[in-house]
Amino acid sequence: MTNDLLGRHRAVLPDWLALYYEEPLEITHGEGRHVWDAQGNRYLDFFGGILTTMTAHALPEVTKAVTEQAGRIIHSSTLYLNRPMVELAERIAQLSGIPDARVFFTTSGTEANDTALLLATAYRRSNTILAMRNSYHGRSFSAVGITGNSGWSPTSLSPLQTLYVHGGVRTRGPFASLSDDAYIAACVEDLKDLLGHTRAPAALIAEPVQGVGGFTAPPDGLYAAFREVLHERGILWIADEVQTGWGRTGEHFWGWQAHGRNGPPDIMTFAKGIGNGMSIGGVVARSEIMNCLDSNSISTFGGTQITMAAGLANLTYLLEHDLQGNARRVGGLLIERLRAVAAQVPAVREVRGRGLMIGIEITKPGTDEADPLTAAAVQEAAREGGLLIGKGGGHNTSSLRVAPPLSLNVAEAEEGAAILENALRSIR
């Protein structure tokens, strides 16, 4: 049946719509931190639908909220007052840390980043955007135009002029050998030099931890230092929190808070985990930025009642059960366990991350050369052992991505680490 479905998939869907595994999975249902495929095989899920099943599969509080809302009304558009949308916007505005915040809901992170770019360019009257090397911001025409990862940017055409900045990947590039303080200073000087050769950009957009890029990150404080330079010139800072938001990094609720000595970003985008699988994205910005557009707009499906009900229930569960604290505690144990294993596996260049956002970079032993075939082999071996993980990276997709639901417990972390250990040792 799976082969039949795969044939049908290939017959009607684009060739570039990526599938994991030599024999792709059809996932039929899930519960907690586990999913099952069409053959009845059970897997521990360490990728959560690309960080989207944030709390747990089939979380009763969310499914109940969705069911009850569906029994009342599913959708009416933003042309009518919408109580769940207002309630979720109020909570997100307060949590964002942005003063006098306004919230606009979309259906995806791509659309959220597209909206942020529209706001920044309209507010600043500039179509020049600063972005980070190795970055990813979505699949729309404008988003791929600012993506700094060639594997996810299928066209060089763009409505924007994009300039790429150093700093998103700590252990590669011309400044990798420097201390953290010297690294930040060198990146800041590079930014200043870049700004001296261009017209005033609208904004810098940056993921606090690069997601598709392989869970790479700069030293804490880099974006705070960038912010000082940007603020002097009136350039906005957009924090892309699509993958880092809602406590996933453990130490902070938002990724930007690791760089927050100069306050919150001007604009912040979010998506993925807030709906626990329902399609929610959005933008938070200071009111004068959000309100700068001088024409009408709506969002047909952004903020629809059923997704807002899911978001409210999911956010409530996340906060009441301190899943941020759980990500810090269980994620810390998992990272240390994986680093101990990696020390015995020459193909592992680095285990990095924070909270439940962990990257394992695979290279040819003794070198910095990416080894995507070996990374794919580890992913296959993990699946055979009953564990689902992701892939990413700016160097030929040779980083494994580990991002379980934030309710992961210690026993499940140990189970997943043991499976990953066997998968990594199988490549020696």
Side-chain angles (χ1 to χ4, degrees):
M1 292 296 291
T2 299
N3 288 337
D4 176 61
L5 184 60
L6 178 59
R8 291 163 60 192
H9 173 104
R10 288 174 171 164
V12 296
L13 297 172
D15 291 345
W16 41 261
L17 195 63
L19 286 168
Y20 274 165
Y21 306 114
E22 292 181 10
E23 296 181 7
L25 294 175
E26 178 191 0
I27 294 176
T28 58
H29 63 286
E31 182 178 351
R33 276 69 57 193
H34 292 87
V35 295
W36 285 259
D37 68 16
Q39 283 70 49
N41 298 307
R42 176 177 178 263
Y43 302 92
L44 184 58
D45 184 4
F46 268 27
F47 204 40
I50 319 177
L51 291 80
T52 299
T53 307
M54 180 174 68
T55 47
H57 290 279
L59 186 71
E61 289 82 352
V62 172
T63 55
K64 181 176 183 288
V66 168
T67 301
E68 290 180 351
Q69 182 61 55
R72 293 190 293 271
I73 186 169
I74 292 175
H75 169 76
S76 67
S77 90
T78 53
L79 291 171
Y80 305 95
L81 286 173
N82 177 333
R83 189 175 300 274
M85 181 171 68
V86 171
E87 291 176 351
L88 185 56
E90 288 171 339
R91 299 191 72 179
I92 291 173
Q94 188 275 324
L95 288 165
S96 74
I98 295 174
D100 194 21
R102 298 291 188 273
V103 182
F104 177 76
F105 289 105
T106 67
T107 61
S108 68
T110 291
E111 192 185 349
N113 284 331
D114 198 66
T115 302
L117 294 170
L118 171 65
L119 291 170
T121 54
Y123 184 77
R124 289 274 295 156
R125 310 303 297 172
S126 168
N127 76 332
T128 300
I129 294 294
L130 304 174
M132 304 304 295
R133 300 178 185 188
N134 195 51
S135 59
Y136 175 81
H137 298 288
R139 56 170 177 74
S140 67
F141 186 45
S142 67
V144 298
I146 62 165
T147 286
N149 183 324
S150 62
W152 292 91
S153 185
T155 177
S156 61
L157 302 174
S158 175
L160 303 167
Q161 179 186 34
T162 308
L163 303 172
Y164 293 101
V165 181
H166 280 299
V169 185
R170 175 66 182 91
T171 60
R172 286 185 180 271
F175 307 141
S177 63
L178 301 177
S179 68
D180 283 355
D181 288 345
Y183 180 94
I184 291 173
C187 291
V188 167
E189 288 306 310
D190 176 73
L191 173 62
K192 289 179 179 178
D193 182 69
L194 180 65
L195 292 174
H197 297 282
T198 185
R199 294 184 182 276
L204 166 73
I205 185 169
E207 306 156 273
V209 178
Q210 294 181 331
V212 170
F215 293 166
T216 60
D220 288 355
L222 175 75
Y223 294 120
F226 277 4
R227 182 85 189 281
E228 293 179 3
V229 176
L230 300 174
H231 185 71
E232 290 174 357
R233 295 158 174 80
I235 301 168
L236 304 179
W237 172 29
I238 304 170
D240 178 345
E241 296 276 358
V242 168
Q243 296 197 31
T244 46
W246 319 111
R248 177 162 289 280
T249 65
E251 296 174 20
H252 303 285
F253 194 76
W254 305 108
W256 70 258
Q257 290 171 318
H259 309 269
R261 70 169 185 261
N262 295 320
D266 301 292
I267 303 173
M268 184 174 70
T269 61
F270 60 86
K272 294 213 181 277
I274 181 59
N276 203 44
M278 298 295 279
S279 297
I280 305 176
V283 184
V284 192
R286 299 198 320 268
S287 60
E288 69 269 23
I289 298 172
M290 185 68 81
N291 294 333
C292 77
L293 302 183
D294 59 3
S295 62
N296 294 324
S297 191
I298 61 170
S299 184
T300 302
F301 289 109
T304 196
Q305 284 92 335
I306 196 164
T307 61
M308 297 294 96
L312 281 164
N314 195 47
L315 182 57
T316 297
Y317 185 92
L318 171 88
L319 295 172
E320 289 183 350
H321 291 80
D322 187 24
L323 295 193
Q324 177 186 338
N326 191 66
R328 182 179 64 253
R329 293 184 295 272
V330 179
L333 293 172
L334 182 56
I335 289 172
E336 290 309 310
R337 175 83 159 79
L338 293 175
R339 283 177 174 159
V341 172
Q344 307 300 316
V345 180
V348 177
R349 178 178 182 270
E350 182 183 23
V351 175
R352 55 181 173 252
R354 58 206 321 167
L356 288 172
M357 195 173 188
I358 305 167
I360 305 170
E361 186 174 349
I362 305 296
T363 56
K364 294 181 179 179
T367 76
D368 286 340
E369 184 180 350
D371 193 347
L373 293 179
T374 297
V378 175
Q379 188 184 39
E380 292 280 356
R383 177 224 173 145
E384 288 298 314
L387 179 72
L388 304 185
I389 56 175
K391 287 191 299 182
H395 300 274
N396 297 316
T397 315
S398 66
S399 292
L400 305 171
R401 293 201 287 163
V402 174
L406 302 187
S407 56
L408 185 78
N409 62 44
V410 172
E412 291 163 339
E414 286 290 343
E415 178 188 355
I419 297 170
L420 261 175
E421 178 176 3
N422 290 336
L424 288 166
R425 291 189 184 281
S426 73
I427 64 172
R428 297 182 68 181

